[in-house]
Amino acid sequence: MELGMIGLGRMGGNMAQRLLVSGHRVVAYDTNQDAVAGSRSLGADGASTLEELTAQLTPPRPIWLMLPQGQPTEDTMDALAPLLQPADVILDGGNANYKDTLRRAEKLAGMGIDLVDVGTSGGIWGLSEGYTLMVGGKDEVFQRLEPIFQSLAPGPDRGYSHVGPVGAGHFVKMVHNGVEYALMEAYAEGFELMAAKEEFNLDLPRIANTWRHGSVVRSWLLDLVVSALEDDPSLSDLQAYVEDSGEGRWTVQESVDLAVPAPVITLSLLQRFRSRQAQPFGAKLLAALRNQFGGHPVRRSGDGDD
């Protein structure tokens, strides 16, 4: 098959490469023309404008967007849509909020253009390992584009599925990322507990590697724990500052909207917020209250300073 690929960053560029290796024709575009040149060197046809990209594809045209969620995706869709015609398809593989996807799909439907939302997981490892794809959209469009999903997935018979109508792909990916937050937090707490047991002098990389084989807690995330600890067992080169992509927040908000409790996912998100705070006000107030009602000692600013 042939398709356009817009967005050649860490994931988009690798996805284009994986498709090329599988024999698909890719017309690549990015505002960074160095990235376009890199894709050309791998066999893609390059484009310097959206107009040039659409002109190089034969209708009905599938065009995959791999862009940051929010305004970059919104602006690109708005610029791309007038260049398309009925039966063309825009595939959004970014981490969009499913509510934005539903709104965009309705707008595009008025022009006869289908939107397919593809929740995509795999990160920088996707090129070699394949991507997990959670696809939302019309069944007939999914079937027509299935060879693309088969090439990007870990195998032609696994790692991808049509999860529901448009919006469902990004919704399922949102929940996927919420679960990921919780799993990461569980590993982090467990290994911190073992690191604190200093009298045992535990070999954390060895323990993590042991857990990888036969244990009920084995996973790809645990494989990555091993990799991180083998590189730096004390993690002394890192700061305890954890960002969030936004999908964990959306997952927690959805749990509130649906009145479905998700306490572990919620707490894992809050832990990320806490990691960014130095001397958080709430902890100071806790100390102040203990001092107020019980006369318990507190540490004042400057205590222990030279």
Side-chain angles (χ1 to χ4, degrees), residues 194-272:
M194 289 188 287
K197 196 65 173 175
E198 295 179 354
E199 62 264 38
F200 285 165
N201 193 28
L202 298 174
D203 187 333
L204 298 187
R206 176 173 290 182
I207 292 167
N209 197 43
T210 299
W211 287 3
R212 294 173 64 198
H213 305 283
S215 166
V216 296
V217 300
R218 65 187 184 274
S219 71
W220 184 50
L221 281 173
L222 185 60
D223 295 343
L224 299 179
V225 169
V226 172
S227 178
L229 292 177
E230 286 181 344
D231 289 344
D232 183 6
S234 66
L235 302 181
S236 56
D237 197 39
L238 296 176
Q239 293 186 25
Y241 187 101
V242 187
E243 287 284 7
D244 69 284
S245 64
E247 298 220 349
R249 301 185 191 209
W250 302 339
T251 305
V252 171
Q253 185 59 57
E254 198 68 28
S255 78
V256 173
D257 292 344
L258 295 175
V260 175
V264 176
I265 292 175
T266 300
L267 286 173
S268 68
L269 173 65
L270 299 182
Q271 280 294 96
R272 294 193 178 200

Side-chain angles (χ1 to χ4, degrees), residues 96-148:
N97 188 308
Y98 81 95
K99 295 178 182 177
D100 288 334
T101 299
L102 291 172
R103 173 179 53 79
R104 292 165 181 160
E106 184 177 3
K107 181 178 179 180
L108 290 169
M111 307 169 66
I113 300 167
D114 284 305
L115 178 60
V116 172
D117 53 311
V118 188
T120 305
S121 179
I124 60 175
W125 294 89
L127 175 59
S128 59
E129 302 297 325
Y131 299 89
T132 299
L133 305 174
M134 297 145 267
V135 186
K138 294 178 182 176
D139 186 60
E140 62 270 23
V141 176
F142 169 81
Q143 291 181 20
R144 175 159 59 90
L145 301 178
E146 192 167 8
I148 294 173

Side-chain angles (χ1 to χ4, degrees), residues 34 50 52 74 138 147 158 166 170 184 214 222 255 262 266 276 281 287 291 298-299:
D34 288 340
L50 293 178
E52 188 177 331
E74 191 83 24
K138 294 178 182 176
R158 63 187 186 277
V166 65
H170 283 151
M184 292 171 67
L222 185 60
S255 78
T266 300
R276 302 170 206 167
F281 182 84
N291 177 257
V298 293
R299 296 187 181 185

Side-chain angles (χ1 to χ4, degrees), residues 146-165:
E146 192 167 8
I148 294 173
F149 306 135
Q150 290 174 322
S151 296
L152 288 171
D157 59 349
R158 63 187 186 277
Y160 76 97
S161 63
H162 183 211
V163 298

Side-chain angles (χ1 to χ4, degrees), residues 54-91:
T54 56
Q56 292 187 64
L57 295 168
T58 304
R61 297 166 286 195
I63 300 178
W64 191 300
L65 273 59
M66 207 66 199
L67 299 169
Q69 65 92 9
Q71 208 59 47
T73 296
E74 191 83 24
D75 292 345
T76 302
M77 279 198 194
D78 286 345
L80 180 63
L83 306 175
L84 303 179
Q85 62 188 43
D88 286 344
V89 181
I90 295 177
L91 300 98

